[in-house]
Amino acid sequence: MSPPSASSSWALVPEHLFTEFLSLLPVKSLLRFKCVSNSWNTLISDPNFVKLHLKKSKSHNPQFTLITHHVQNFKGESEYGSDDEYEVDYSIIPYSIHSFLDNPSFTLFADHHYLLNEKDCSGVAGSCNGLICLSGFGFSATHTFDHQTYEYWLRLWNPATRAISEKFGCFVDSGGFGLNFGCDNSTGTFKVVASRYIPDKLTSDVRVFSFDENVWRNIQSFPVVPFNLMGHASLEHDAVFFNGTLNWLAVRNDIPYTWYHLPPDNFTVEQFVIVSLNLGTEIYNMYTLPQGFDEVPPVAPTVRVLGDCFCFSYSYKETDFIIWQMKKFGIQESWTQFLKISYHDLQLNHDFSSRTLKYHLYFLPLFLSKDGDTLILYSSQELEVILYNWRDHRVERTQVNVHKTIIDEGTCTNSCWHFANGFVESLTSIC
Amino acid sequence: MAEEKSQASSSKMLTLKASDGVLFEVELNIAKEMKTVQAYIDDCEDIETIPIPNVLGKHLAIVIEYIKKTNEEYDAEFEKQWNMDDLQLLLLAANYLNISGLQECLCKAIAKRIENKSPEYVRKVFNIENDHSPEEEAKLRKEYKWAFEGVDKD
């Protein structure tokens, strides 16, 4: 490529055009270009530029975070491996959805700065505007066998800029809290909701941490307690953030339960409901599920955001996987069946009549391609995710190998696709 | 009758005169993609020749071809033919003529060309003076050391 011309008249180009093409650059390039000049440094740090860049990033470069699990084996002295030790760690790695769809077989390197343990965190509360809210918990200072209390904390992390906050939002309580992160769309304030089920009182403890107030506040309990409330600040968070609300699946019942291996007895579809917490008003709404959802599925259904739509999906009999879209969020009449994918179409080679499989085969629709034609689908029976183009009925298998970049002897790494979530790269500051 | 009329208006030709005097005859619907030209037509209906004082004939030709052929495939190949100087002049043309699709295509192209370059290269291309103090620059380079890895050699 010929060297740039020294006589080029870029000075004639108005600033708004510079902003246009700069806002299309990846974060890494922009951080490097802060060195170019004072005015470029000022522009790149400007909150309006950051907002414009985020907007472009969302539409041009949707990403996801792949969570990988590392187990390092330390051989002990015993012949029988009884004193072998294991160190478990996780990485959270952003990756482009387009790149994945273009080339679904690749090797990913888990760079050091994606590791969770060294951040002293063990879970993810959620992600918003390019920021990931991490969570951690440990025995509190006053923890005893008889009085088990834990300390919970949060850390805000931008994997693209590599900035990470100190621990904040700390609280001490007996265990069982699940944490969920979101944003109040009307004010742009980030919030974290901590919740747990209290079996003794048949109710739930729900509290909110608002980033502008910097304190935890108790709010009303869930009107219907969500099933499978995730406890202990895990990588799997139970609520789905959408458009300023956090949403959980729940079942109206006298006693909440956990859906382990079999759907509870005496269950009807009418009992299912979506509990939605508006992060602005901190008020709950409840939404019913599509009319077409007429049979209790063998495995717990899920809610998820696909493309720009809030979706509800489940396994149907032993033959299909169905996804509904709530075209207009909050309007129950707007539920529209999006996809009905037959297992046969997915070219799965399993004996679906087997009882073991019936109650364990679990699908999770992860992401949609930009044009909406290709679905990235997780299946519990497959090691890797499946790409399904529903227009062409084309199935493509994937192969993602992950290695830690720092060579560890004997580390085994696996992808946890069921923890993968949508992500967008941004310059958003963690302050 | 109505059909004939619409046919007549869609095949109406307009003349665009570039800054160096080169004349281009284009169909009305092509010319309308340039919002600046559209505004000109709205103001003076009977106009037949529209002056485009800021754009050279060479670049106006490229712009007109772009409007005629634009689609995903064409756009992907389009930007590869031009060097940075051409891209700059085309960007100014697209901005003056107010053609959003072309502007977006060119911005993507420019971003792609500089994405993996060093700050020195960028300064040279855009003729920007480095007004950072050595301490400021050193501080930034240290803070974002990792952002300098894997950058194209100048």
Side-chain angles (χ1 to χ4, degrees), chain A residues 379-418:
Chain A
S379 156
S380 57
Q381 297 303 113
E382 308 281 317
L383 291 172
E384 301 282 347
V385 292
I386 301 167
L387 301 183
Y388 178 66
N389 181 317
W390 54 270
R391 276 203 208 279
D392 305 337
H393 294 281
R394 232 183 329 120
V395 175
E396 199 174 347
R397 286 204 136 76
T398 65
Q399 174 87 29
V400 179
N401 298 309
V402 190
H403 301 289
K404 276 171 87 171
T405 45
I406 294 175
I407 301 160
D408 280 335
E409 287 296 311
T411 298
C412 183
T413 297
N414 288 303
S415 302
C416 309
W417 281 102
H418 51 298

Side-chain angles (χ1 to χ4, degrees), chain A residues 86 148 200 224 239 325 373 392:
Chain A
Y86 301 89
Q148 303 191 346
D200 302 345
V224 178
Q325 285 173 325
D373 289 351
D392 305 337

Side-chain angles (χ1 to χ4, degrees), chain A residues 1 4-6 8-10 16-17 21 25 28-29 31-38 40 160-162, chain B residues 85 88 95 103 107 111 113-117 119 122-123 125-128 131-132 140 146-149 151:
Chain A
M1 181 135 184
S5 153
S8 59
S9 46
W10 280 93
H16 75 93
L17 287 180
F21 62 76
L25 287 169
K28 184 180 171 190
S29 308
L31 293 176
R32 188 167 65 243
F33 294 161
K34 278 172 166 256
C35 286
V36 167
S37 74
N38 247 322
W40 276 43
T161 63
R162 303 197 186 183
Chain B
D85 285 343
Q88 182 237 328
N95 179 52
Q103 199 170 296
C107 283
R113 302 254 177 129
I114 61 172
E115 186 178 318
N116 224 31
K117 300 293 185 205
V122 165
R123 283 184 204 126
V125 166
F126 299 122
N127 232 344
I128 298 171
D131 56 353
H132 275 309
L140 284 167
W146 53 272
F148 290 81
E149 288 164 18
V151 167

Side-chain angles (χ1 to χ4, degrees), chain A residues 290-303:
Chain A
Q291 296 277 48
F293 174 58
D294 54 12
E295 198 175 302
V296 176
V299 176
T302 51
V303 282

